[in-house]
Amino acid sequence: MEEFTEDGVTRDYATPESAKAQAMEELIDDEVTKDYSTTEMVKVIIPEPEALTRLYGVSGPLRQTAYPAFEVDLRPKRLAPGLVAFNDFDPQDIAPYNRLAISLISAAASRKLKRVLIASAQYGDGRTTVTLNLAAALARARQRVLVVESDFLRPSALRLLGIDSATGLAEAVLKGLAPSKAMVWLQPIGFNLLPNCAQVENSAELLASPTFEVMMRTLNPEFDFILFDSAPLLAAADARLLEQHTDATLIVVRQDGASTSQMAKAVNLLNEERLLGAVLNRVVT
């Protein structure tokens, strides 16, 4: 986990949890970058290995061994404006996600890291947008990627992508279906989505079920990366259950989002040893 400190300066705060949150808040306030108006600019706090940047100069078909039940051609006009990594319109917008993708690929090469939990403190931090953009960047790097929409309170991936699906993760688990029966292959970007189609009240029971565990084990060898888009930490306990199925956690923080006390509470709910880093979302001047 990258330490939430600024220039190595140690500060004395009331509790370790509030120290983390306060330091993160100050780091966000001090970040200066370009204002991209309606698009979401992210700042990644993970070391960037230069050795893997050559991956983005490689062309060729994406590798795929999973066979989803549905294939969808994404329409640019229906995509949410924040999904900047789905096109090549502005390289500056895409660059932060490319760096994040490179960091994950490097981490996977040096240690066991495939299943990544994407968490946030609250709704509105841009967690799902970051997850989808990261998946697109990984797909461009010829990685086999699956996004598991594990937010059962307010699923939004289908809406952001401008598509529909009749079967989702919850239906697959409850009916004992093969995960491929609910997966959607997104073209031309080239990654798989296991969406949620509606709100689910018994999400904790579903995530703790043996069926979900078997499903995740079945999917594991089919992909290079599986990204879990979880409900916010302060809205549900789902992220803590998902930690049992993942190797590392990225936390998404919006610059003008959660307060110091809210961030302290959210970070304290996670296993600190599994925290990989933070993504600062909507960082503007």
Side-chain angles (χ1 to χ4, degrees), residues 240-284:
R240 302 184 72 176
L241 291 172
L242 286 167
E243 279 190 316
Q244 302 174 22
H245 300 282
T246 54
D247 306 315
T249 301
L250 276 173
I251 187 165
V252 177
V253 184
R254 182 172 172 172
Q255 182 176 14
D256 56 351
S259 64
T260 300
S261 60
Q262 288 173 322
M263 278 305 307
K265 184 177 180 181
V267 172
N268 197 39
L269 292 172
L270 295 170
N271 182 343
E272 187 173 350
E273 294 181 357
R274 301 168 70 92
L275 285 174
L276 180 64
V279 177
L280 308 183
N281 196 25
R282 295 189 179 180
V283 182
V284 295

mmCIF file of all heavy atoms in Angstrom, residues 240-284:
data_model
loop_
_atom_site.group_PDB
_atom_site.id
_atom_site.type_symbol
_atom_site.label_atom_id
_atom_site.label_comp_id
_atom_site.label_asym_id
_atom_site.label_seq_id
_atom_site.Cartn_x
_atom_site.Cartn_y
_atom_site.Cartn_z
ATOM 1 N N ARG A 240 -15.929 -6.055 2.239
ATOM 2 C CA ARG A 240 -15.196 -6.903 3.184
ATOM 3 C C ARG A 240 -15.358 -8.371 2.827
ATOM 4 O O ARG A 240 -14.437 -9.173 3.005
ATOM 5 C CB ARG A 240 -15.677 -6.620 4.600
ATOM 6 C CG ARG A 240 -15.507 -5.158 5.012
ATOM 7 C CD ARG A 240 -15.901 -4.917 6.449
ATOM 8 N NE ARG A 240 -14.937 -5.489 7.373
ATOM 9 C CZ ARG A 240 -15.005 -5.351 8.702
ATOM 10 N NH1 ARG A 240 -16.006 -4.664 9.239
ATOM 11 N NH2 ARG A 240 -14.109 -5.885 9.483
ATOM 12 N N LEU A 241 -16.521 -8.745 2.325
ATOM 13 C CA LEU A 241 -16.722 -10.115 1.861
ATOM 14 C C LEU A 241 -15.940 -10.375 0.583
ATOM 15 O O LEU A 241 -15.364 -11.452 0.395
ATOM 16 C CB LEU A 241 -18.212 -10.379 1.623
ATOM 17 C CG LEU A 241 -19.100 -10.438 2.864
ATOM 18 C CD1 LEU A 241 -20.572 -10.500 2.467
ATOM 19 C CD2 LEU A 241 -18.741 -11.639 3.735
ATOM 20 N N LEU A 242 -15.895 -9.388 -0.301
ATOM 21 C CA LEU A 242 -15.176 -9.541 -1.568
ATOM 22 C C LEU A 242 -13.667 -9.633 -1.362
ATOM 23 O O LEU A 242 -12.967 -10.190 -2.223
ATOM 24 C CB LEU A 242 -15.517 -8.381 -2.498
ATOM 25 C CG LEU A 242 -16.906 -8.437 -3.133
ATOM 26 C CD1 LEU A 242 -17.265 -7.102 -3.771
ATOM 27 C CD2 LEU A 242 -16.988 -9.562 -4.159
ATOM 28 N N GLU A 243 -13.159 -9.091 -0.270
ATOM 29 C CA GLU A 243 -11.729 -9.216 0.010
ATOM 30 C C GLU A 243 -11.307 -10.677 0.094
ATOM 31 O O GLU A 243 -10.149 -11.015 -0.182
ATOM 32 C CB GLU A 243 -11.369 -8.492 1.311
ATOM 33 C CG GLU A 243 -11.185 -7.002 1.161
ATOM 34 C CD GLU A 243 -10.587 -6.375 2.405
ATOM 35 O OE1 GLU A 243 -11.033 -6.717 3.522
ATOM 36 O OE2 GLU A 243 -9.665 -5.539 2.274
ATOM 37 N N GLN A 244 -12.225 -11.557 0.467
ATOM 38 C CA GLN A 244 -11.916 -12.978 0.554
ATOM 39 C C GLN A 244 -11.716 -13.600 -0.818
ATOM 40 O O GLN A 244 -11.135 -14.678 -0.933
ATOM 41 C CB GLN A 244 -13.043 -13.703 1.294
ATOM 42 C CG GLN A 244 -13.314 -13.194 2.695
ATOM 43 C CD GLN A 244 -14.518 -13.847 3.333
ATOM 44 O OE1 GLN A 244 -14.928 -14.939 2.939
ATOM 45 N NE2 GLN A 244 -15.104 -13.185 4.320
ATOM 46 N N HIS A 245 -12.199 -12.943 -1.856
ATOM 47 C CA HIS A 245 -12.101 -13.470 -3.215
ATOM 48 C C HIS A 245 -11.096 -12.706 -4.065
ATOM 49 O O HIS A 245 -10.974 -12.987 -5.261
ATOM 50 C CB HIS A 245 -13.469 -13.401 -3.892
ATOM 51 C CG HIS A 245 -14.545 -14.177 -3.193
ATOM 52 N ND1 HIS A 245 -14.670 -15.545 -3.299
ATOM 53 C CD2 HIS A 245 -15.532 -13.769 -2.347
ATOM 54 C CE1 HIS A 245 -15.700 -15.956 -2.569
ATOM 55 N NE2 HIS A 245 -16.237 -14.899 -1.989
ATOM 56 N N THR A 246 -10.388 -11.741 -3.485
ATOM 57 C CA THR A 246 -9.483 -10.893 -4.263
ATOM 58 C C THR A 246 -8.075 -10.911 -3.679
ATOM 59 O O THR A 246 -7.863 -11.318 -2.537
ATOM 60 C CB THR A 246 -10.005 -9.449 -4.324
ATOM 61 O OG1 THR A 246 -10.239 -8.962 -3.000
ATOM 62 C CG2 THR A 246 -11.315 -9.392 -5.103
ATOM 63 N N ASP A 247 -7.124 -10.443 -4.495
ATOM 64 C CA ASP A 247 -5.717 -10.449 -4.096
ATOM 65 C C ASP A 247 -5.237 -9.097 -3.593
ATOM 66 O O ASP A 247 -4.254 -9.019 -2.858
ATOM 67 C CB ASP A 247 -4.843 -10.865 -5.290
ATOM 68 C CG ASP A 247 -5.282 -12.186 -5.903
ATOM 69 O OD1 ASP A 247 -5.551 -13.131 -5.143
ATOM 70 O OD2 ASP A 247 -5.365 -12.260 -7.144
ATOM 71 N N ALA A 248 -5.881 -8.027 -4.027
ATOM 72 C CA ALA A 248 -5.449 -6.680 -3.653
ATOM 73 C C ALA A 248 -6.621 -5.722 -3.810
ATOM 74 O O ALA A 248 -7.618 -6.044 -4.455
ATOM 75 C CB ALA A 248 -4.271 -6.224 -4.505
ATOM 76 N N THR A 249 -6.472 -4.524 -3.220
ATOM 77 C CA THR A 249 -7.546 -3.532 -3.255
ATOM 78 C C THR A 249 -7.009 -2.185 -3.720
ATOM 79 O O THR A 249 -5.957 -1.731 -3.266
ATOM 80 C CB THR A 249 -8.182 -3.359 -1.870
ATOM 81 O OG1 THR A 249 -8.708 -4.611 -1.435
ATOM 82 C CG2 THR A 249 -9.309 -2.333 -1.905
ATOM 83 N N LEU A 250 -7.741 -1.561 -4.634
ATOM 84 C CA LEU A 250 -7.508 -0.167 -5.011
ATOM 85 C C LEU A 250 -8.675 0.653 -4.481
ATOM 86 O O LEU A 250 -9.832 0.255 -4.635
ATOM 87 C CB LEU A 250 -7.451 -0.016 -6.530
ATOM 88 C CG LEU A 250 -6.132 -0.297 -7.244
ATOM 89 C CD1 LEU A 250 -6.356 -0.251 -8.755
ATOM 90 C CD2 LEU A 250 -5.066 0.698 -6.838
ATOM 91 N N ILE A 251 -8.392 1.777 -3.867
ATOM 92 C CA ILE A 251 -9.463 2.622 -3.364
ATOM 93 C C ILE A 251 -9.544 3.892 -4.209
ATOM 94 O O ILE A 251 -8.522 4.540 -4.480
ATOM 95 C CB ILE A 251 -9.265 2.968 -1.870
ATOM 96 C CG1 ILE A 251 -10.496 3.707 -1.329
ATOM 97 C CG2 ILE A 251 -7.974 3.725 -1.616
ATOM 98 C CD1 ILE A 251 -10.555 3.770 0.180
ATOM 99 N N VAL A 252 -10.740 4.216 -4.663
ATOM 100 C CA VAL A 252 -10.977 5.398 -5.487
ATOM 101 C C VAL A 252 -11.453 6.530 -4.595
ATOM 102 O O VAL A 252 -12.389 6.361 -3.807
ATOM 103 C CB VAL A 252 -12.030 5.108 -6.577
ATOM 104 C CG1 VAL A 252 -12.335 6.362 -7.388
ATOM 105 C CG2 VAL A 252 -11.545 3.988 -7.493
ATOM 106 N N VAL A 253 -10.809 7.672 -4.717
ATOM 107 C CA VAL A 253 -11.121 8.832 -3.883
ATOM 108 C C VAL A 253 -11.389 10.028 -4.776
ATOM 109 O O VAL A 253 -10.571 10.361 -5.636
ATOM 110 C CB VAL A 253 -9.954 9.170 -2.928
ATOM 111 C CG1 VAL A 253 -10.345 10.316 -2.000
ATOM 112 C CG2 VAL A 253 -9.543 7.955 -2.123
ATOM 113 N N ARG A 254 -12.517 10.652 -4.597
ATOM 114 C CA ARG A 254 -12.826 11.867 -5.350
ATOM 115 C C ARG A 254 -12.294 13.076 -4.591
ATOM 116 O O ARG A 254 -12.411 13.160 -3.373
ATOM 117 C CB ARG A 254 -14.337 11.997 -5.554
ATOM 118 C CG ARG A 254 -14.738 13.204 -6.368
ATOM 119 C CD ARG A 254 -16.208 13.176 -6.714
ATOM 120 N NE ARG A 254 -16.647 14.411 -7.335
ATOM 121 C CZ ARG A 254 -17.840 14.589 -7.875
ATOM 122 N NH1 ARG A 254 -18.717 13.606 -7.859
ATOM 123 N NH2 ARG A 254 -18.166 15.737 -8.418
ATOM 124 N N GLN A 255 -11.737 14.015 -5.336
ATOM 125 C CA GLN A 255 -11.068 15.153 -4.703
ATOM 126 C C GLN A 255 -11.981 15.901 -3.737
ATOM 127 O O GLN A 255 -11.579 16.252 -2.639
ATOM 128 C CB GLN A 255 -10.550 16.122 -5.771
ATOM 129 C CG GLN A 255 -9.791 17.305 -5.181
ATOM 130 C CD GLN A 255 -9.194 18.195 -6.256
ATOM 131 O OE1 GLN A 255 -9.549 18.088 -7.419
ATOM 132 N NE2 GLN A 255 -8.277 19.048 -5.895
ATOM 133 N N ASP A 256 -13.213 16.149 -4.142
ATOM 134 C CA ASP A 256 -14.128 16.907 -3.296
ATOM 135 C C ASP A 256 -15.200 15.991 -2.700
ATOM 136 O O ASP A 256 -16.322 16.408 -2.444
ATOM 137 C CB ASP A 256 -14.808 18.028 -4.091
ATOM 138 C CG ASP A 256 -15.528 17.503 -5.330
ATOM 139 O OD1 ASP A 256 -15.360 16.311 -5.656
ATOM 140 O OD2 ASP A 256 -16.258 18.277 -5.968
ATOM 141 N N GLY A 257 -14.825 14.725 -2.458
ATOM 142 C CA GLY A 257 -15.781 13.729 -1.989
ATOM 143 C C GLY A 257 -15.824 13.580 -0.479
ATOM 144 O O GLY A 257 -16.151 14.519 0.245
ATOM 145 N N ALA A 258 -15.468 12.403 -0.001
ATOM 146 C CA ALA A 258 -15.601 12.066 1.415
ATOM 147 C C ALA A 258 -14.759 12.974 2.302
ATOM 148 O O ALA A 258 -13.677 13.424 1.927
ATOM 149 C CB ALA A 258 -15.203 10.613 1.631
ATOM 150 N N SER A 259 -15.270 13.223 3.493
ATOM 151 C CA SER A 259 -14.546 14.030 4.478
ATOM 152 C C SER A 259 -13.429 13.191 5.106
ATOM 153 O O SER A 259 -13.325 11.982 4.884
ATOM 154 C CB SER A 259 -15.503 14.498 5.572
ATOM 155 O OG SER A 259 -16.004 13.389 6.299
ATOM 156 N N THR A 260 -12.599 13.839 5.907
ATOM 157 C CA THR A 260 -11.507 13.143 6.572
ATOM 158 C C THR A 260 -12.024 12.027 7.466
ATOM 159 O O THR A 260 -11.503 10.907 7.456
ATOM 160 C CB THR A 260 -10.696 14.138 7.422
ATOM 161 O OG1 THR A 260 -10.174 15.158 6.574
ATOM 162 C CG2 THR A 260 -9.548 13.436 8.128
ATOM 163 N N SER A 261 -13.059 12.303 8.225
ATOM 164 C CA SER A 261 -13.599 11.281 9.124
ATOM 165 C C SER A 261 -14.228 10.132 8.343
ATOM 166 O O SER A 261 -14.100 8.964 8.744
ATOM 167 C CB SER A 261 -14.635 11.907 10.056
ATOM 168 O OG SER A 261 -15.708 12.479 9.313
ATOM 169 N N GLN A 262 -14.888 10.439 7.229
ATOM 170 C CA GLN A 262 -15.476 9.382 6.411
ATOM 171 C C GLN A 262 -14.399 8.501 5.783
ATOM 172 O O GLN A 262 -14.530 7.274 5.758
ATOM 173 C CB GLN A 262 -16.355 9.994 5.316
ATOM 174 C CG GLN A 262 -17.653 10.596 5.821
ATOM 175 C CD GLN A 262 -18.414 11.337 4.723
ATOM 176 O OE1 GLN A 262 -17.814 11.999 3.875
ATOM 177 N NE2 GLN A 262 -19.723 11.229 4.740
ATOM 178 N N MET A 263 -13.317 9.129 5.299
ATOM 179 C CA MET A 263 -12.229 8.351 4.722
ATOM 180 C C MET A 263 -11.564 7.486 5.782
ATOM 181 O O MET A 263 -11.188 6.331 5.532
ATOM 182 C CB MET A 263 -11.189 9.279 4.086
ATOM 183 C CG MET A 263 -11.543 9.740 2.695
ATOM 184 S SD MET A 263 -11.892 8.373 1.543
ATOM 185 C CE MET A 263 -10.442 7.369 1.729
ATOM 186 N N ALA A 264 -11.426 8.029 6.990
ATOM 187 C CA ALA A 264 -10.823 7.257 8.082
ATOM 188 C C ALA A 264 -11.651 6.013 8.372
ATOM 189 O O ALA A 264 -11.111 4.912 8.532
ATOM 190 C CB ALA A 264 -10.724 8.120 9.336
ATOM 191 N N LYS A 265 -12.944 6.181 8.426
ATOM 192 C CA LYS A 265 -13.831 5.061 8.692
ATOM 193 C C LYS A 265 -13.786 4.043 7.558
ATOM 194 O O LYS A 265 -13.757 2.831 7.798
ATOM 195 C CB LYS A 265 -15.267 5.565 8.886
ATOM 196 C CG LYS A 265 -16.255 4.481 9.271
ATOM 197 C CD LYS A 265 -17.638 5.063 9.516
ATOM 198 C CE LYS A 265 -18.638 3.978 9.902
ATOM 199 N NZ LYS A 265 -19.998 4.545 10.131
ATOM 200 N N ALA A 266 -13.768 4.523 6.317
ATOM 201 C CA ALA A 266 -13.751 3.633 5.160
ATOM 202 C C ALA A 266 -12.454 2.831 5.085
ATOM 203 O O ALA A 266 -12.476 1.605 4.909
ATOM 204 C CB ALA A 266 -13.952 4.435 3.877
ATOM 205 N N VAL A 267 -11.316 3.507 5.221
ATOM 206 C CA VAL A 267 -10.017 2.833 5.131
ATOM 207 C C VAL A 267 -9.867 1.818 6.255
ATOM 208 O O VAL A 267 -9.289 0.740 6.078
ATOM 209 C CB VAL A 267 -8.868 3.862 5.162
ATOM 210 C CG1 VAL A 267 -7.519 3.166 5.267
ATOM 211 C CG2 VAL A 267 -8.909 4.731 3.916
ATOM 212 N N ASN A 268 -10.403 2.130 7.424
ATOM 213 C CA ASN A 268 -10.294 1.239 8.567
ATOM 214 C C ASN A 268 -11.077 -0.056 8.368
ATOM 215 O O ASN A 268 -10.831 -1.045 9.058
ATOM 216 C CB ASN A 268 -10.795 1.947 9.833
ATOM 217 C CG ASN A 268 -10.336 1.262 11.107
ATOM 218 O OD1 ASN A 268 -9.206 0.788 11.198
ATOM 219 N ND2 ASN A 268 -11.223 1.186 12.084
ATOM 220 N N LEU A 269 -12.020 -0.054 7.435
ATOM 221 C CA LEU A 269 -12.805 -1.259 7.162
ATOM 222 C C LEU A 269 -12.052 -2.259 6.290
ATOM 223 O O LEU A 269 -12.464 -3.423 6.188
ATOM 224 C CB LEU A 269 -14.118 -0.876 6.468
ATOM 225 C CG LEU A 269 -15.135 -0.104 7.309
ATOM 226 C CD1 LEU A 269 -16.293 0.365 6.433
ATOM 227 C CD2 LEU A 269 -15.651 -0.957 8.467
ATOM 228 N N LEU A 270 -10.977 -1.817 5.649
ATOM 229 C CA LEU A 270 -10.223 -2.668 4.738
ATOM 230 C C LEU A 270 -9.029 -3.311 5.424
ATOM 231 O O LEU A 270 -8.532 -2.818 6.441
ATOM 232 C CB LEU A 270 -9.736 -1.846 3.544
ATOM 233 C CG LEU A 270 -10.809 -1.277 2.614
ATOM 234 C CD1 LEU A 270 -10.177 -0.294 1.644
ATOM 235 C CD2 LEU A 270 -11.529 -2.397 1.864
ATOM 236 N N ASN A 271 -8.566 -4.391 4.845
ATOM 237 C CA ASN A 271 -7.335 -5.031 5.291
ATOM 238 C C ASN A 271 -6.167 -4.234 4.710
ATOM 239 O O ASN A 271 -5.926 -4.259 3.508
ATOM 240 C CB ASN A 271 -7.302 -6.478 4.800
ATOM 241 C CG ASN A 271 -6.067 -7.217 5.269
ATOM 242 O OD1 ASN A 271 -5.080 -6.621 5.693
ATOM 243 N ND2 ASN A 271 -6.107 -8.534 5.188
ATOM 244 N N GLU A 272 -5.455 -3.531 5.563
ATOM 245 C CA GLU A 272 -4.407 -2.616 5.097
ATOM 246 C C GLU A 272 -3.304 -3.346 4.337
ATOM 247 O O GLU A 272 -2.706 -2.791 3.408
ATOM 248 C CB GLU A 272 -3.803 -1.856 6.276
ATOM 249 C CG GLU A 272 -2.820 -0.773 5.866
ATOM 250 C CD GLU A 272 -2.367 0.075 7.036
ATOM 251 O OE1 GLU A 272 -2.950 -0.049 8.126
ATOM 252 O OE2 GLU A 272 -1.429 0.867 6.848
ATOM 253 N N GLU A 273 -3.036 -4.596 4.679
ATOM 254 C CA GLU A 273 -1.978 -5.340 4.012
ATOM 255 C C GLU A 273 -2.322 -5.632 2.551
ATOM 256 O O GLU A 273 -1.436 -5.924 1.751
ATOM 257 C CB GLU A 273 -1.719 -6.656 4.749
ATOM 258 C CG GLU A 273 -1.156 -6.466 6.159
ATOM 259 C CD GLU A 273 -0.897 -7.786 6.845
ATOM 260 O OE1 GLU A 273 -1.222 -8.849 6.237
ATOM 261 O OE2 GLU A 273 -0.376 -7.775 7.960
ATOM 262 N N ARG A 274 -3.607 -5.556 2.203
ATOM 263 C CA ARG A 274 -4.025 -5.855 0.843
ATOM 264 C C ARG A 274 -4.232 -4.597 0.006
ATOM 265 O O ARG A 274 -4.552 -4.698 -1.180
ATOM 266 C CB ARG A 274 -5.331 -6.670 0.880
ATOM 267 C CG ARG A 274 -5.196 -7.974 1.633
ATOM 268 C CD ARG A 274 -6.561 -8.584 1.879
ATOM 269 N NE ARG A 274 -7.148 -9.077 0.646
ATOM 270 C CZ ARG A 274 -7.010 -10.331 0.200
ATOM 271 N NH1 ARG A 274 -6.324 -11.191 0.909
ATOM 272 N NH2 ARG A 274 -7.580 -10.711 -0.915
ATOM 273 N N LEU A 275 -4.059 -3.433 0.607
ATOM 274 C CA LEU A 275 -4.240 -2.186 -0.130
ATOM 275 C C LEU A 275 -3.070 -1.961 -1.086
ATOM 276 O O LEU A 275 -1.919 -1.884 -0.676
ATOM 277 C CB LEU A 275 -4.356 -1.008 0.836
ATOM 278 C CG LEU A 275 -5.681 -0.884 1.588
ATOM 279 C CD1 LEU A 275 -5.604 0.228 2.614
ATOM 280 C CD2 LEU A 275 -6.829 -0.640 0.631
ATOM 281 N N LEU A 276 -3.380 -1.849 -2.360
ATOM 282 C CA LEU A 276 -2.352 -1.661 -3.378
ATOM 283 C C LEU A 276 -2.041 -0.196 -3.610
ATOM 284 O O LEU A 276 -0.910 0.185 -3.890
ATOM 285 C CB LEU A 276 -2.806 -2.317 -4.686
ATOM 286 C CG LEU A 276 -1.878 -2.231 -5.877
ATOM 287 C CD1 LEU A 276 -0.584 -2.989 -5.591
ATOM 288 C CD2 LEU A 276 -2.534 -2.809 -7.132
ATOM 289 N N GLY A 277 -3.039 0.660 -3.502
ATOM 290 C CA GLY A 277 -2.830 2.075 -3.749
ATOM 291 C C GLY A 277 -4.154 2.813 -3.848
ATOM 292 O O GLY A 277 -5.210 2.260 -3.513
ATOM 293 N N ALA A 278 -4.102 4.048 -4.294
ATOM 294 C CA ALA A 278 -5.290 4.884 -4.408
ATOM 295 C C ALA A 278 -5.346 5.551 -5.767
ATOM 296 O O ALA A 278 -4.318 5.826 -6.381
ATOM 297 C CB ALA A 278 -5.289 5.957 -3.315
ATOM 298 N N VAL A 279 -6.548 5.769 -6.235
ATOM 299 C CA VAL A 279 -6.783 6.507 -7.475
ATOM 300 C C VAL A 279 -7.538 7.778 -7.105
ATOM 301 O O VAL A 279 -8.648 7.722 -6.572
ATOM 302 C CB VAL A 279 -7.616 5.681 -8.480
ATOM 303 C CG1 VAL A 279 -7.899 6.501 -9.729
ATOM 304 C CG2 VAL A 279 -6.879 4.404 -8.847
ATOM 305 N N LEU A 280 -6.915 8.923 -7.337
ATOM 306 C CA LEU A 280 -7.533 10.199 -7.035
ATOM 307 C C LEU A 280 -8.336 10.647 -8.247
ATOM 308 O O LEU A 280 -7.780 10.894 -9.314
ATOM 309 C CB LEU A 280 -6.477 11.248 -6.687
ATOM 310 C CG LEU A 280 -5.477 10.840 -5.595
ATOM 311 C CD1 LEU A 280 -4.530 11.984 -5.302
ATOM 312 C CD2 LEU A 280 -6.190 10.382 -4.344
ATOM 313 N N ASN A 281 -9.621 10.749 -8.100
ATOM 314 C CA ASN A 281 -10.507 10.987 -9.236
ATOM 315 C C ASN A 281 -10.930 12.447 -9.300
ATOM 316 O O ASN A 281 -11.120 13.101 -8.258
ATOM 317 C CB ASN A 281 -11.754 10.090 -9.106
ATOM 318 C CG ASN A 281 -12.515 9.983 -10.400
ATOM 319 O OD1 ASN A 281 -11.965 10.152 -11.481
ATOM 320 N ND2 ASN A 281 -13.797 9.693 -10.309
ATOM 321 N N ARG A 282 -11.095 12.949 -10.530
ATOM 322 C CA ARG A 282 -11.515 14.331 -10.776
ATOM 323 C C ARG A 282 -10.577 15.334 -10.106
ATOM 324 O O ARG A 282 -11.014 16.267 -9.436
ATOM 325 C CB ARG A 282 -12.951 14.550 -10.320
ATOM 326 C CG ARG A 282 -13.954 13.725 -11.126
ATOM 327 C CD ARG A 282 -15.358 14.104 -10.825
ATOM 328 N NE ARG A 282 -16.302 13.321 -11.617
ATOM 329 C CZ ARG A 282 -17.609 13.444 -11.567
ATOM 330 N NH1 ARG A 282 -18.146 14.331 -10.753
ATOM 331 N NH2 ARG A 282 -18.396 12.704 -12.315
ATOM 332 N N VAL A 283 -9.297 15.125 -10.288
ATOM 333 C CA VAL A 283 -8.296 16.053 -9.769
ATOM 334 C C VAL A 283 -8.196 17.232 -10.724
ATOM 335 O O VAL A 283 -7.831 17.073 -11.885
ATOM 336 C CB VAL A 283 -6.920 15.372 -9.638
ATOM 337 C CG1 VAL A 283 -5.902 16.335 -9.052
ATOM 338 C CG2 VAL A 283 -7.038 14.135 -8.753
ATOM 339 N N VAL A 284 -8.550 18.428 -10.253
ATOM 340 C CA VAL A 284 -8.532 19.612 -11.109
ATOM 341 C C VAL A 284 -7.772 20.732 -10.399
ATOM 342 O O VAL A 284 -7.492 20.675 -9.218
ATOM 343 C CB VAL A 284 -9.970 20.091 -11.416
ATOM 344 C CG1 VAL A 284 -10.700 19.045 -12.219
ATOM 345 C CG2 VAL A 284 -10.732 20.425 -10.141
#
